[in-house]
Amino acid sequence: MGQARAKVATKQKTDLRRLTFASLAMITLAFGATLANAQDKIIKSHGISTFGDLKYPADFKHWDYVNPDAPQGGTISFLGTGASGTFDSLNPFILKGTPAQGLGLMHSSLLTGSGDEPDSAYGYIAETLEYPEDRQWVIFNMRPEATFSDGEPITADEVVFSYEILMEKGHPVYQIIYKDIEKVEALEPHRVKFTFKEGVNTRDLPAQAGGITILPRHYYETKDFGESTIDVPVTSGGFTATDIKPGRSIKYCKIDNYWAKDLPHNKGSGNFDCYLYEYFTDRTVALEAFKAGSFLFHEEFTSKNWANSYNFPAINKGHVIKETIPDDRPSGTQGFWINMRQDKFADPRVRQAIGMMFNFEWSNKTLFYGLYERTDSFWENSNMQAEGVPTGKELALLEEFRDQLPENIFTEEPFTPAVSRPSQTDRKAVRAAGKLLDEAGWKVVNGKRTNDKGEVLTLELVDDSPAFERIINPYIENLKRLGIDASYKLIDAAQMQERQKNFDYDLIPGRLSMDLSPGEDLAQIFGTKGAETLGSSNYSGIKDPVVDALIIKIAQAETREDMQVAVRALDRVMRNMHIWVPNWYKGSHNIAYWDVFGRPDTKPLYSRGVIGTWWLDQEKLDALKAEGALR
């Protein structure tokens, strides 16, 4: 747990050479495309991008942000992180189990993304793709040399199987992600076609289809895909799990003679032979293990640790490097999510009052050492967050929904949390919040907020990490001063996962990552379908027709400007609904690492670059071992 830790119980991600499903779902136009048939206007290309030309031509040699001559070999080790601090499954595609970190290393898809473009993808297992201008279908021409980890060929039939098994037995969120696919057909052994439903928005669908992880039919003929397991599966990526210790560690190592090792996508990328994730249930113990060299790279999410715990001998001797690097992506939605599925939270005045009791200014000064800024937008640290009174195109868009929106949407700046006094309890905020609760029908009776039915307003905030207690407890005390019967419950990782999946909570901490080019993927985060789908990331349970309509507008935008306008409108509307208690953000990464690595001069714009572009410097490693700093 930390001040920006992710709580998302979704698929594992890797920044090795691949974009996530949600990221790949954004991509639709082609660079260097040629018309295969002028009459039908069929586009054939090596890649696609949502709003503009691809940066890299068909004959590109390597990504610009890598060292194509980077040394190969060695092992890089990390702290295994995630919602639970442990793992019990190697299947990230289903609702059951807690998947290990790093599983994306084992899987590949038809397309792969670059780290210096917001929404581009290039043929990987597929060499080229074809689609009409209306994007009603897409055909992928696959590389015949592509094979699974057991050497079996990857064919169009496996693509069909992957779609079918994910829809039949995969995580329920796939029902949202792939809802607009009509059918998938194997036209030839290495030629597969996706046809999309009539009348749907097709802007992102070819790239979304290209983002499907390719799974082996022959393997799952004897294995139940719907069951959680730690058995090492046959996979489509360049790495396989080689050393698995559930709850303790997992190592992924390169597959010998991997078919794609010489593709330009992999030149200077994935330079380590192995990637090791070490798990600790206690983050204090984990930090001590890092200091002792038990793992070599660490991103620190806890401000207290960053301010006070990085003055150990290895730092002072220069053996460990402490560094802050920029993060050019939207900063994510760290906050306490209010479960609006509960009737007691139906009134936005109640939710606003609950939010007013979090004193960021006191927390930042007293607990965070001034390292953070207050979050107010769902697209913080980006040009997609709403600002000022709506004007121009944003105003015109919002006018379409005037009869469904409150007047203040049109006349006021977007909601921003008030600046609190630096004392833990801001009495002015308590009075203002109390007035809102009074207006909502929750009066103080015998010291407790009570409605006209005699029901007391209760609130339980649940979490699974002791590290957050120092932040949550003062917030709970402020809620109690307001007359709310508030409590904090620390539960174990397994309980947290189940309660999160089943939306069994009043409030939970969580951080959702926002894409650089959002589209209909937002439906599973903020849409009605997501609110009704177990295991989705719609933590607040928001179900609103204007929000659903704006998500469609975002997905239908034909230019980046129009997309940004629609995102700002959505941001403005949702901020006014008070669906969460916004916390804090930091537009950078705090990292520390043992000085045994080399890296390119240029960091990929939209990634840390560590997994994908760094390499082991054997001379540095040998020198630290010779000094006795590392074993």
Side-chain angles (χ1 to χ4, degrees):
M1 185 71 205
Q3 276 61 52
R5 81 183 167 85
K7 302 284 293 182
V8 184
T10 53
K11 297 357 104 216
Q12 291 289 330
K13 303 176 182 177
T14 177
D15 61 356
L16 176 61
R17 297 175 304 273
R18 307 179 59 242
L19 293 179
T20 64
F21 296 115
S23 298
L24 283 170
M26 302 299 99
I27 309 162
T28 54
L29 299 176
F31 170 74
T34 58
L35 296 181
N37 184 305
Q39 183 177 357
D40 294 331
K41 295 183 178 178
I42 304 302
I43 299 166
K44 184 174 182 178
S45 178
H46 67 292
I48 53 179
S49 114
T50 304
F51 297 113
D53 292 343
L54 295 171
K55 177 179 180 179
Y56 296 94
D59 61 349
F60 81 100
K61 303 303 181 184
H62 56 79
W63 309 123
D64 287 349
Y65 49 83
V66 303
N67 172 7
D69 300 317
Q72 304 293 300
T75 297
I76 184 172
S77 50
F78 309 83
L79 172 64
T81 61
S84 63
T86 186
F87 71 94
D88 60 13
S89 176
L90 300 190
N91 185 349
F93 306 107
I94 61 174
L95 194 58
K96 295 180 180 179
T98 302
Q101 189 174 356
L103 288 171
L105 292 162
M106 298 175 65
H107 299 282
S108 292
S109 50
L110 295 165
L111 303 177
T112 189
S114 70
D116 57 353
E117 299 171 274
D119 47 36
S120 296
Y122 299 83
Y124 192 68
I125 291 177
E127 186 168 13
T128 61
L129 63 159
E130 305 168 30
Y131 56 96
E133 285 191 334
D134 65 3
R135 307 176 188 95
Q136 195 60 48
W137 52 262
V138 62
I139 293 173
F140 295 98
N141 300 302
M142 302 168 62
R143 300 179 194 270
E145 67 269 27
T147 60
F148 288 106
S149 56
D150 63 353
E152 289 295 311
I154 300 176
T155 67
D157 182 61
E158 263 70 37
V159 180
V160 175
F161 168 77
S162 301
Y163 165 74
E164 292 175 343
I165 198 68
L166 288 171
M167 292 294 282
E168 177 187 350
K169 293 187 175 184
H171 194 290
V173 76
Y174 287 113
Q175 299 293 327
I176 301 175
I177 296 174
Y178 301 138
K179 63 182 175 60
D180 293 330
I181 296 177
E182 180 68 37
K183 61 181 176 179
V184 185
E185 307 168 88
L187 303 180
E188 299 174 12
H190 293 96
R191 187 171 163 87
V192 63
K193 180 178 182 180
F194 288 75
T195 302
F196 309 119
K197 294 177 181 178
E198 291 291 336
V200 302
N201 171 39
T202 59
R203 188 195 75 183
D204 299 327
L205 295 183
Q208 184 184 78
I212 291 179
T213 297
I214 310 304
L215 302 164
R217 181 190 294 274
H218 66 278
Y219 177 78
Y220 288 106
E221 285 177 346
T222 58
K223 304 287 185 180
D224 187 350
F225 181 78
E227 291 300 319
S228 174
T229 179
I230 58 169
D231 293 339
V232 180
V234 173
T235 58
S236 53
F239 290 76
T240 189
T242 60
D243 187 8
I244 305 163
K245 299 172 183 176
R248 293 176 55 197
S249 65
I250 184 167
K251 179 186 282 189
Y252 306 91
C253 293
K254 283 182 179 178
I255 295 172
D256 292 339
N257 300 316
Y258 176 49
W259 70 271
K261 64 182 178 66
D262 293 325
L263 288 182
H265 316 63
N266 295 330
K267 286 288 184 183
S269 298
N271 301 312
F272 300 96
D273 282 344
C274 298
Y275 295 80
L276 172 65
Y277 294 86
E278 298 275 5
Y279 281 80
F280 298 84
T281 56
D282 186 308
R283 286 182 174 269
T284 300
V285 175
L287 181 56
E288 293 304 313
F290 171 70
K291 294 177 182 180
S294 294
F295 55 97
L296 300 176
F297 178 92
H298 183 48
E299 179 168 2
E300 183 57 71
F301 296 107
T302 304
S303 55
K304 180 180 179 181
N305 286 346
W306 191 248
N308 297 325
S309 300
Y310 285 82
N311 55 359
F312 50 94
I315 288 267
N316 299 330
K317 293 178 181 178
H319 296 164
V320 170
I321 306 298
K322 177 186 176 184
E323 184 177 356
T324 297
I325 59 176
D327 182 358
D328 295 294
R329 301 168 298 176
S331 290
T333 59
Q334 175 69 39
F336 302 134
W337 295 86
I338 304 171
N339 190 357
M340 297 191 297
R341 300 171 184 87
Q342 310 272 11
D343 290 341
K344 59 190 174 184
F345 302 132
D347 193 316
R349 292 171 295 188
V350 173
R351 302 194 296 270
Q352 184 177 357
I354 290 170
M356 292 171 71
M357 291 299 93
F358 177 66
N359 190 328
F360 167 76
E361 284 69 30
W362 177 84
S363 299
N364 196 38
K365 178 182 178 181
T366 308
L367 306 176
F368 304 155
Y369 300 85
L371 293 176
Y372 293 103
E373 296 182 59
R374 183 71 190 267
T375 296
D376 52 42
S377 167
F378 295 95
W379 278 271
E380 199 70 62
N381 194 41
S382 79
N383 58 5
M384 292 183 282
Q385 69 181 86
E387 295 180 340
V389 176
T391 59
K393 289 185 176 181
E394 184 188 349
L395 176 59
L397 176 57
L398 290 168
E399 286 286 359
E400 297 181 29
F401 310 100
R402 180 176 277 275
D403 62 342
Q404 302 176 68
L405 293 171
E407 183 61 23
N408 69 313
I409 288 287
F410 301 92
T411 60
E412 299 176 6
E413 295 188 357
F415 174 78
T416 299
V419 176
S420 298
R421 295 178 181 178
S423 58
Q424 178 181 328
T425 302
D426 185 338
R427 296 185 184 279
K428 182 179 178 181
V430 172
R431 287 193 297 270
K435 183 179 179 181
L436 287 172
L437 290 179
D438 287 340
E439 293 172 355
W442 293 96
K443 310 289 185 179
V444 177
V445 178
N446 296 324
K448 300 291 186 182
R449 290 285 171 177
T450 307
N451 63 15
D452 56 8
K453 297 179 182 179
E455 298 168 332
V456 173
L457 181 55
T458 60
L459 182 155
E460 181 185 65
L461 197 158
V462 297
D463 192 25
D464 62 348
S465 174
F468 228 42
E469 286 186 272
R470 67 193 185 100
I471 303 159
I472 293 175
N473 282 331
Y475 176 51
I476 294 297
E477 290 304 311
N478 285 344
L479 289 167
K480 288 179 177 179
R481 289 184 176 94
L482 190 58
I484 296 175
D485 185 7
S487 62
Y488 165 53
K489 187 173 184 178
L490 181 65
I491 59 180
D492 64 34
Q495 290 174 314
M496 186 66 183
Q497 185 178 34
E498 287 305 307
R499 293 185 70 164
Q500 194 168 303
K501 286 177 181 178
N502 295 292
F503 310 123
D504 180 19
Y505 49 81
D506 290 340
L507 269 72
I508 58 168
R511 178 180 181 270
L512 300 171
S513 298
M514 296 290 105
D515 284 311
L516 292 156
S517 299
E520 288 198 22
D521 58 298
L522 292 174
Q524 76 105 358
I525 302 175
F526 300 124
T528 296
K529 290 184 181 294
E532 298 170 346
T533 302
L534 291 179
S536 81
S537 298
N538 191 336
Y539 296 148
S540 66
I542 182 173
K543 298 169 66 173
D544 184 84
V546 175
V547 169
D548 290 341
L550 287 173
I551 290 172
I552 293 174
K553 294 282 189 181
I554 293 167
Q556 290 177 339
E558 296 182 358
T559 67
R560 181 166 295 280
E561 180 187 3
D562 287 346
M563 179 204 72
Q564 291 171 344
V565 167
V567 172
R568 291 184 197 120
L570 177 62
D571 185 44
R572 184 182 302 273
V573 168
M574 292 197 303
R575 285 162 65 176
N576 198 64
M577 297 172 71
H578 307 287
I579 68 175
W580 66 331
V581 182
N583 288 168
W584 52 81
Y585 78 96
K586 175 174 58 65
S588 58
H589 301 280
N590 290 332
I591 63 173
Y593 53 92
W594 285 82
D595 189 17
V596 297
F597 301 114
R599 59 177 174 175
D601 294 332
T602 302
K603 182 185 83 70
L605 188 60
Y606 302 118
S607 166
R608 290 183 319 190
V610 180
I611 291 179
T613 68
W614 289 25
W615 61 86
L616 185 71
D617 186 319
Q618 192 62 48
E619 290 187 6
K620 289 183 177 180
L621 178 61
D622 291 343
L624 288 186
K625 286 184 175 180
E627 287 188 42
L630 288 173
R631 295 193 297 272

